[in-house]
Amino acid sequence: MVNERSGILGTGHSYPNGILTNADLEQIVDTSDAWITTRTGIKQRRKAAPGEYTSLFAVRAARQAIERARLDPADIDLLICATVSPDQILPSTGCIIQAELGANKAAAMDVVAACSGFLYGVTLADTMIRTGQSRYALVIGAEILTQYVDYSDRQTCVLFGDGAGAAVLGAVDADRGILAARIRSDGRYEEQLYSPGGGTRRPPTAETLAAGDHFFKMKGNELFKVAVRSMADISREVLEEAGLRPEDVNLFIPHQANQRITDAVAAKLNVAEQRVYSNIAMHGNTSSASIPIALDECVETGRIKQGDLILMASFGGGVTWGGVLMRW
Ligand SMILES: CC(C)(COP(=O)(O)OP(=O)(O)OC[C@H]1O[C@@H](n2cnc3c(N)ncnc32)[C@H](O)[C@@H]1OP(=O)(O)O)[C@@H](O)C(=O)NCCC(=O)NCCS
């Protein structure tokens, strides 16, 4: 059956109990709470304990989303896990989550699109539901980034944190749901944020491990500019496609990378501060988990009301970016 619109039926999130504060980082690397706060807005981030892994938090977030959608795991026929920090290379973390949930009817997979992964997953799920290929899709963004962070590199280690968020999508009435969704990438910017070691190009050896090739490397300044430009452009694009304006947006949920990036995008779009959601102080950058965690926090706190116009925009390593506009 072809459906006119898909929408979000339920959301959930989960993160480790462990907290890494700016004061903790001051003990590890040459940095200060004042520098991190003024340059990024981050005060703390969640950090998984040894033995905690990505799918653990993904499953908790997913169970909550499925329950809130009033469904059973067996109803899910598409399961997309967005992650750049999988449990292991094979099988996909999506398949591991599927088995743990008992979502046995689903086609499960991972999407690797860094911080845009959740919006990539939502865009794919939206298309699958509208074309009738899927009835109920579960999209998860889940990361344990603290395992890929080099705690001697003060530029990156202050930014990233751990967590998971999830959403269940299904067909909805035509007056609500996803109005426009767009995803993009440009692989020419690979070296702005990448992890060179551990794959077939640079297989893991004692040498690559000692060199820290499996850690994230980043050109922060350059990425900052690409982030602001791409998120503002894709936001305008989805708004134009839906025939709406930035002034119509009730809540803007950008990828939580840096408060200064959020402020710059909001200023470019002319979206007032009180209509922009930020949890960067509490979570730092959780990559693909950042938007679904933020979305679920907004649902839980009543920040999103029925009929609200929600704009979500992201960018990340690849580089990738995406925008989704929906009526709640
Ligand atoms: C990384 C980022 C916070 C750095 O902020 P910035 O204002 O651009 O800072 P710069 O890189 O210009 O560095 C300024 C100075 O601060 C220093 N610095 C960098 N990190 C520091 C830290 N954690 N603590 C203290 N000083 C730090 C630099 O060494 C530099 O010192 P210098 O002037 O003596 O050379 C910022 O560029 C950023 O957020 N970029 C986007 C990154 C991102 O979002 N990545 C994820 C993509 S999803």
Side-chain angles (χ1 to χ4, degrees):
M1 196 184 84
V2 175
N3 298 295
E4 193 170 340
R5 285 230 196 286
S6 90
I8 290 180
L9 309 178
T11 54
H13 76 276
S14 171
Y15 42 70
N17 290 329
I19 293 175
L20 187 66
T21 64
N22 291 352
D24 296 330
L25 283 166
E26 283 176 352
Q27 307 303 311
I28 301 170
V29 74
D30 180 16
T31 191
S32 66
D33 173 46
W35 192 95
I36 302 171
T37 306
T38 51
R39 298 295 180 112
T40 72
I42 301 167
K43 298 298 281 183
Q44 64 166 55
R45 61 295 286 146
R46 296 285 168 160
K47 189 175 189 306
E52 290 183 321
Y53 45 91
T54 304
S55 66
L56 201 65
F57 302 100
V59 165
R60 289 179 194 157
R63 283 212 175 100
Q64 200 177 40
I66 293 169
E67 208 177 288
R68 291 196 181 144
R70 299 197 166 114
L71 294 171
D72 188 85
D75 296 321
I76 303 297
D77 53 24
L78 175 68
L79 192 163
I80 299 174
C81 176
T83 186
V84 288
S85 46
D87 280 10
Q88 55 202 53
I89 292 287
L90 188 72
S92 69
T93 304
C95 282
I96 294 170
I97 296 165
Q98 168 180 35
E100 193 59 35
L101 288 174
N104 299 330
K105 270 198 265 157
M109 68 179 103
D110 285 4
V111 161
V112 183
C115 308
S116 306
F118 179 73
L119 294 191
Y120 266 59
V122 166
T123 303
L124 297 176
D126 173 55
T127 307
M128 291 283 278
I129 292 164
R130 284 189 296 101
T131 56
Q133 294 265 336
S134 166
R135 186 156 184 225
Y136 295 117
L138 171 65
V139 182
I140 304 160
E143 308 285 2
I144 304 282
L145 300 178
T146 55
Q147 295 221 6
Y148 290 91
V149 157
D150 178 356
Y151 283 97
S152 67
D153 173 7
R154 67 179 180 176
Q155 203 208 174
T156 53
C157 76
V158 301
L159 298 178
F160 298 103
D162 304 335
V168 172
L169 285 87
V172 294
D173 293 340
D175 60 349
R176 55 179 286 242
I178 294 172
L179 308 177
R182 286 282 169 267
I183 48 177
R184 301 253 192 284
S185 64
D186 190 338
R188 289 172 300 180
Y189 293 108
E190 174 196 339
E191 289 190 2
Q192 291 201 352
L193 180 56
Y194 71 121
S195 149
T200 54
R201 194 155 69 173
R202 197 154 167 70
T205 61
E207 198 186 40
T208 63
L209 275 176
D213 286 347
H214 55 295
F215 291 133
F216 289 167
K217 323 277 177 205
M218 188 180 74
K219 293 182 178 157
N221 293 89
E222 290 173 35
L223 197 51
F224 194 103
K225 290 177 218 149
V226 178
V228 174
R229 194 175 60 233
S230 59
M231 284 209 285
D233 286 351
I234 204 102
S235 297
R236 284 197 200 98
E237 212 178 305
V238 289
L239 281 162
E240 265 167 36
E241 194 185 319
L244 294 162
R245 298 159 306 160
E247 305 87 275
D248 300 320
V249 172
N250 298 101
L251 189 64
F252 176 38
I253 305 179
H255 167 51
Q256 309 285 311
N258 183 324
Q259 189 60 43
R260 285 159 54 220
I261 293 177
T262 293
D263 293 345
V265 176
K268 259 178 171 274
L269 289 174
N270 205 15
V271 175
E273 197 187 332
Q274 60 273 23
R275 288 188 284 133
V276 182
Y277 189 71
S278 174
N279 64 12
I280 187 94
M282 304 307 283
H283 293 289
N285 180 345
T286 56
S287 192
S288 68
S290 106
I291 290 183
I293 289 175
L295 184 65
D296 191 41
E297 286 178 352
C298 291
V299 171
E300 283 185 341
T301 57
R303 183 100 192 245
I304 296 181
K305 289 171 201 66
Q306 208 180 330
D308 278 356
L309 186 67
I310 314 292
L311 172 67
M312 301 182 284
S314 64
F315 78 98
V319 295
T320 59
W321 63 103
V324 170
L325 185 71
M326 64 181 176
R327 181 77 63 193
W328 196 257

